[in-house]
């Protein structure tokens, strides 16, 4: 990781009572002063040693760790030259996207999966999915063009399985209402309640259509062809420009060393995997990295046209079946031709694809979240794909892995609840395991009853 300013353990920290002023060892679990029962605060007895550095020396230390310069460049636009260099900084729309952490799987989770790996937490973007990267570039571009051409009444529209619409509505809502209107098309009943609440909360016009995502996509493509609208799906390449920053960030977080790296990506409409591969190719062609990583594409058996293409050599759109990886439940990915080209030209010896079951997806999600992560069902799909690919010998455990958790656990909490309640329709083909279930326990509001239940020892 890119920290050239490593902090070292220093100081002597104690609890200090705000009442009687006594101090206590910080290694004990205490919450009020054992002597006078007042509240405690934490004090570094060697705080004054920090004054050996001047204020400006401290700012250098902290700045070197985060490097803020222009605040709009703190997100995806720190890669300005590689995404949309025609856009002046004042036109950039920055809502806090990008710079998502990579979190190392702990030992228990690594053992369950079969290798050490990092999860890149794309759910920590402002609308809680990776879509904010592409939306930041698309809306910055739109903002720029509106200014340069003095446009009014631009209608931004997208079809979505939930997350694109959340991101589009959020970023559009930042632009002046006199200039833009925001519309999203959703397949009725096929986005989670949390995802539906997002564009509604951002004030977009939300249109629900019968059918699945592919049906909505067809309509939006027709609207984009025949009417004056601004398309906010990843078919619009200005979206892909921003989404490429996922690759740039992974490379930066690994200190630009991509040796032995496998990047694991769940695939739906295939915009994301396209952007990620294009991003790595940019870095390679500029000599920023010495090699390309391998890519592992993961899909549910219920929507796996890309896996079938890899297995048979033939691409065939398919009808999807219900999947808990609902955001990726797409039978005819719009960006498939770009994937095929990228694989042929750059990744032919390093592109793998694997299908996983619905049970495996749920278990991947639940296991990750029981071990410190906040992954969505698509993140669970990625983890399940990694586990399976290792088991099948498609990839080696000695490689390095970055797994894409494309959105936040909370967006897909309804699937978690359906699992706990064993409430899936049979078409999902999910058999919940008791060991993964959890539910709240109602109890009398009495400390002794709870202590008995938990088997606590008195102090
Ligand atoms: N993960 C999440 C959370 C998604 O929302 C999507 C796609 C994917 C993975 C798959 O990425 O489509 O680029 O291959 N969601 C789109 C949407 C289709 O409308 O929100 P992809």
């Amino acid at each position: 990781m890119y920290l050239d300013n490593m902090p070292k353990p220093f100081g002597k920290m104690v609890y200090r009572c705000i009442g009687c002023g006594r101090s206590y060892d910080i290694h004990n679990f205490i919450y009020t002063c054992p002597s006078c029962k007042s509240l405690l605060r934490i004090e570094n007895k060697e705080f004054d040693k920090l004054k050996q550095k001047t204020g400006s020396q401290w700012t250098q230390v902290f700045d070197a760790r985060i490097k803020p310069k222009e605040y709009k460049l703190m997100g995806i636009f720190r890669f300005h030259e590689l995404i949309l260099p025609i856009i002046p900084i004042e036109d950039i729309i920055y809502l806090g996207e990008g710079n998502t952490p990579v979190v190392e799987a702990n030992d228990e989770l690594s053992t369950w999966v079969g290798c050490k790996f990092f999860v890149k937490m794309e759910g920590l973007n402002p609308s809680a999915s990776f879509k904010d990267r592409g939306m930041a570039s698309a809306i910055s571009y739109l903002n720029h063009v509106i200014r340069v051409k003095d446009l009014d009444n631009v209608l931004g529209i997208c079809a979505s399985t939930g997350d694109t619409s959340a991101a589009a509505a959020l970023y559009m809502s930042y632009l002046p209402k006199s200039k833009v209107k925001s519309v999203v098309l959703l397949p009725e009943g096929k986005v989670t309640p949390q995802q539906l609440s997002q564009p509604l909360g951002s004030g977009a016009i939300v249109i629900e259509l019968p059918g699945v995502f592919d049906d909505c996509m067809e309509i939006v493509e027709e609207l984009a062809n025949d009417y004056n609208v601004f398309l906010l799906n990843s078919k619009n390449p200005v979206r892909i420009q921003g989404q490429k920053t996922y690759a740039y960030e992974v490379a930066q977080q690994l200190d630009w060393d991509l040796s032995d790296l496998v990047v694991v990506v769940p695939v739906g409409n295939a915009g994301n995997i396209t952007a990620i591969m294009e991003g790595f190719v940019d870095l390679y062609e500029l000599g920023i990295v010495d090699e390309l990583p391998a890519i592992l594409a993961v899909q549910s058996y219920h929507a796996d046209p890309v896996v079938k293409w890899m297995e048979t050599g033939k691409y065939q759109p398919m009808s999807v079946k219900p999947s808990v990886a609902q955001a990726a439940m797409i039978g005819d990915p719009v960006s498939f031709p770009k994937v095929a080209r990228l694989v042929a030209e750059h990744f032919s010896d390093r592109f793998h694809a694997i299908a996983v079951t619905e049970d495996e997806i749920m278990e991947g999600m639940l296991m990750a979240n029981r071990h410190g992560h906040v992954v969505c069902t698509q993140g669970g799909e990625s983890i399940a794909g990694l586990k399976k690919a290792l088991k099948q010998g498609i990839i080696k455990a000695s490689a390095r892995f970055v797994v894409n958790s494309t959105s936040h656990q909370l967006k897909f909490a309804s699937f978690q609840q359906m699992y706990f309640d064993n409430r899936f329709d049979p078409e999902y083909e999910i058999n919940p395991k008791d060991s993964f279930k959890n539910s709240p326990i109602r109890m009398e509001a009495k400390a002794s009853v709870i202590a008995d239940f938990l088997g606590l020892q008195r102090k």
Side-chain angles (χ1 to χ4, degrees), residues 128-131 158-166 185-186 195 213 217 233-234 239-240 243 265-274 299 325-330 333 335 376-379 381 404-408 411-412:
S129 89
F130 74 97
K131 302 285 182 185
C158 66
S160 178
T161 55
D163 296 325
T164 298
S165 62
L185 304 185
L186 300 175
Q195 288 172 312
F213 169 83
M217 192 66 216
N233 280 98
S234 56
R239 280 269 320 275
I240 300 285
Q243 280 182 208
V265 190
V267 178
N269 215 17
N272 198 30
I273 198 162
T274 296
Q299 296 193 299
Q326 185 169 258
M329 206 177 92
I330 295 173
S335 293
C376 60
T377 43
Q378 294 65 224
E381 184 175 36
N404 192 344
S405 174
T406 44
S407 79
H408 199 287
K411 283 199 184 222
F412 294 86

Side-chain angles (χ1 to χ4, degrees), residues 194-448:
Q194 296 77 12
Q195 288 172 312
L196 178 60
S197 75
Q198 293 188 283
L200 290 173
S202 296
I205 298 172
V206 177
I207 300 175
E208 294 190 313
L209 301 176
V212 293
F213 169 83
D214 297 283
D215 303 303
C216 296
M217 192 66 216
E218 244 177 66
I219 303 279
V220 92
E221 285 184 302
E222 196 177 324
L223 290 170
N225 279 338
D226 300 347
Y227 298 85
N228 236 337
V229 298
F230 184 64
L231 180 66
L232 282 167
N233 280 98
S234 56
K235 187 173 182 186
N236 184 340
V238 298
R239 280 269 320 275
I240 300 285
Q241 287 306 98
Q243 280 182 208
K244 290 198 294 186
T245 59
Y246 180 89
Y248 307 155
E249 269 181 29
V250 166
Q252 188 172 39
Q253 286 166 322
L254 297 178
D255 210 10
W256 311 106
D257 170 12
L258 302 188
S259 55
D260 268 335
L261 180 67
V262 181
V263 176
V264 186
V265 190
V267 178
N269 215 17
N272 198 30
I273 198 162
T274 296
I276 291 171
M277 288 195 285
E278 283 187 6
F280 283 122
V281 171
D282 287 346
L283 298 181
Y284 183 64
E285 289 186 342
L286 288 171
I288 295 174
V289 298
D290 295 334
E291 60 186 296
L292 292 172
I295 305 287
L296 175 64
V298 189
Q299 296 193 299
S300 161
Y301 280 110
H302 289 186
D304 63 347
V306 175
V307 177
K308 291 218 171 77
W309 163 68
M310 281 296 284
E311 283 167 4
T312 63
K314 236 183 105 225
Y315 176 71
Q316 183 72 43
M318 65 183 283
S319 303
V320 295
K321 289 206 269 174
S323 171
V324 291
Q326 185 169 258
M329 206 177 92
I330 295 173
D332 187 11
V334 163
S335 293
F336 173 75
K338 289 187 175 171
V339 174
R341 189 187 61 82
L342 281 157
V343 171
E345 290 180 4
H346 300 282
F347 291 86
S348 54
D349 61 338
R350 56 192 72 203
F351 186 88
H352 313 282
I354 194 157
V356 290
T357 66
E358 295 295 308
D359 273 327
E360 287 167 338
I361 297 170
M362 282 308 301
E363 287 169 23
M365 168 179 163
L366 295 168
M367 268 307 272
N369 295 346
R370 285 185 166 208
H371 293 90
H373 300 274
V374 283
V375 314
C376 60
T377 43
Q378 294 65 224
E381 184 175 36
S382 299
I383 290 169
L386 172 57
K387 183 173 163 76
K388 200 163 188 175
L390 284 168
K391 210 162 169 202
Q392 295 185 358
I394 295 171
I395 45 179
K396 288 205 182 79
S398 57
R400 298 187 299 156
F401 301 96
V402 175
V403 171
N404 192 344
S405 174
T406 44
S407 79
H408 199 287
Q409 171 189 24
L410 293 178
K411 283 199 184 222
F412 294 86
S414 44
F415 286 117
Q416 175 182 292
Q417 200 55 46
M418 281 158 81
Y419 191 94
F420 292 164
D421 298 345
N422 203 355
R423 225 172 0 93
F424 280 105
D425 284 343
E427 312 135 281
Y428 279 95
E429 300 176 283
I430 287 193
N431 298 300
K433 285 187 185 148
D434 286 343
S435 59
F436 284 116
K437 289 187 185 168
N438 204 0
S439 61
I441 304 161
R442 286 201 83 209
M443 290 191 108
E444 200 183 334
K446 224 171 167 187
S448 59

